[in-house]
Each structure stands twice: as structure tokens, then as C-alpha cells.
Amino acid sequence: AQSVAQPEDQVNVAEGNPLTVKCTYSVSGNPYLFWYVQYPNRGLQFLLKYITGDNLVKGSYGFEAEFNKSQTSFHLKKPSALVSDSALYFCAVRDENFNKFYFGSGTKLNVKP
Amino acid sequence: GAGVSQSPSNKVTEKGKDVELRCDPISGHTALYWYRQSLGQGLEFLIYFQGNSAPDKSGLPSDRFSAERTGGSVSTLTIQRTQQEDSAVYLCASSFNTGRAKPQHFGDGTRLSIL
């Protein structure tokens, strides 16, 4: 069965510090992995994706994510957090054999000045 | 507008009434998805349309929920005899489905409140 886990409901980090938001997945085929961000009263916005190739992918707003096949993880990272990064972050996976996306439960990122 | 459009943005109705939520996807997107999100929580998959294929209805929570997609474009999600537990934000997303690598593009949702 396809699934995504985001083990942290909330991550707190000080502005200027590096941040990591964790995601692990389970799929039957090759994974297509995505990160989305949601600001209050808005829909989800696409940040980045991993399909194949380099394990480190770069996306919007200075975010990047590292794919680790052996650990089945796809953690979101940013070297220096901004207060404006505070939002709800979702990891999603799509199995190569299926059309549906499977979303994690979301992680609320709080960046404090 | 080039994005996914949902209407209404907010809907308040009384328990037992029927509601219709509309989604206008990005032009050319063949796949359309409906999700439900409760109180800033995770996304619950409801239904998925892909071109002219039969929709995947596996996420619809009860037979009070139904959805249509006319002409491969606009979709309507209908909830009959609404209950208070139906209160949530209903999100629509669309994507190209010529490749599995295509991300979804989301609308801003309809916030449904059942009194």
C-alpha cells in the first residue's frame, strides 16, 4: 500500500537557523515525491519534486529536499529559515503505477524571529 | 486567470440542505482531484477524474457525496443532506496526466460550514 508519514506535527526553528521537515514513504513501485506548502486560507503550492537523478533536488524559495532510497525518506530542508516560511508543509508520493497522490498529515513550521 | 478556480470560496448552510461546490481546472489539464481538509489537517482524498475514464470514487465517505465532471473540464462536488461533520475545506486540484511527474495545482478551496 502507498503511504506517506510526516512524524512531526510541528517544527519550531529560529530565524536564520537551518530547518528540516521530515517525510518517509512507502510505495510498491518507483516513487515520485513532492513537497507542497500551504499558507492560511490558501490551497497547496508546489515546492519541489523528485523523479529520478540527483538525490538532492532544489525548489522554490530556497528549499531543497534529499531523497534517500535506503531509508525511504524525502526530507525538506532549508539552510537559513525565514519568518515568512512559517506555514503548513505536506509531503506527497505518487506511485509510478498509479495516478493518485498520497499526502502526509502535514507539518506546521514555526519560524520565530 | 491561469490557476484552478473554486467557487464559492465560503459556504454556510443548514444541516440537511444540499450543497454544490464548483471547480474550474487549469485549461488542458486532464486530471482533476477533490480532497477534504478538516481544521488545517491533512488531505483526505475524495475522488479523481482522468479524461474520459471512469472516475476513482474510492475516497467518497458516503453515498451523500457525488461528483461530476462535464466535458472533461468543470467539476461539481455535491453533498446531499449535509451533516455537521461535513464542515471542512474542500480542495480541488488538477494536473497534466501525460506523465506521473506532473505536480498537482490546487485551488484555494471552498470553506463549508454546516450549522
Side-chain angles (χ1 to χ4, degrees):
Chain A
Q2 282 62 240
S3 66
V4 176
Q6 292 182 243
E8 303 153 317
D9 290 336
Q10 186 168 297
V11 170
N12 299 311
V13 64
E15 187 175 32
N17 283 0
L19 69 87
T20 298
V21 182
K22 296 179 180 177
C23 171
T24 58
Y25 66 90
S26 174
V27 295
S28 55
N30 288 323
Y32 293 168
L33 294 155
F34 303 81
W35 274 102
Y36 291 84
V37 59
Q38 186 180 33
Y39 297 100
N41 300 314
R42 300 298 303 276
L44 279 67
Q45 297 178 32
F46 168 71
L47 275 179
L48 51 79
K49 66 182 179 183
Y50 172 82
I51 305 303
T52 186
D54 290 341
N55 290 341
L56 186 66
V57 294
K58 296 187 182 296
S60 306
Y61 312 120
F63 283 93
E64 56 192 26
E66 186 170 12
F67 171 67
N68 187 315
K69 187 173 183 178
S70 63
Q71 297 185 3
T72 61
S73 67
F74 188 56
H75 301 331
L76 182 70
K77 301 181 179 184
K78 187 172 183 181
S80 179
L82 300 173
V83 173
S84 57
D85 292 331
S86 297
L88 191 57
Y89 290 80
F90 290 95
C91 181
V93 65
R94 192 178 197 182
D95 189 299
E96 65 175 351
N97 298 310
F98 299 94
N99 292 322
K100 284 163 59 175
F101 288 78
Y102 296 86
F103 285 84
S105 55
T107 299
K108 185 177 182 182
L109 175 65
N110 295 314
V111 181
K112 298 189 177 181
Chain B
V4 176
S5 177
Q6 291 188 247
S7 61
S9 54
N10 288 281
K11 177 72 175 179
V12 180
T13 193
E14 293 179 345
K15 176 182 172 181
K17 300 286 188 183
D18 297 351
V19 295
E20 285 189 353
L21 312 180
R22 176 187 168 105
C23 174
D24 203 336
I26 292 173
S27 178
H29 280 192
T30 56
L32 187 147
Y33 306 76
W34 282 99
Y35 297 91
R36 181 168 67 177
Q37 184 179 29
S38 301
L39 293 174
Q41 298 301 308
L43 274 66
E44 176 187 4
F45 167 78
L46 296 178
I47 189 169
Y48 159 64
F49 295 90
Q50 170 52 46
N52 295 321
S53 302
D56 178 347
K57 303 180 181 180
S58 60
L60 294 179
S62 76
D63 59 7
R64 296 187 295 105
F65 288 72
S66 63
E68 291 184 341
R69 188 178 186 192
T70 55
S73 181
V74 173
S75 177
T76 301
L77 177 69
T78 300
I79 309 173
Q80 295 179 309
R81 305 181 302 282
T82 53
Q83 304 294 314
Q84 287 187 332
E85 60 263 29
D86 299 335
S87 296
V89 176
Y90 290 82
L91 293 168
C92 175
S94 69
S95 74
F96 288 109
N97 238 32
T98 53
R100 301 286 192 266
K102 302 299 183 182
Q104 294 178 309
H105 298 262
F106 283 81
D108 286 337
T110 293
R111 186 175 301 276
L112 178 62
S113 299
I114 309 300
L115 302 178

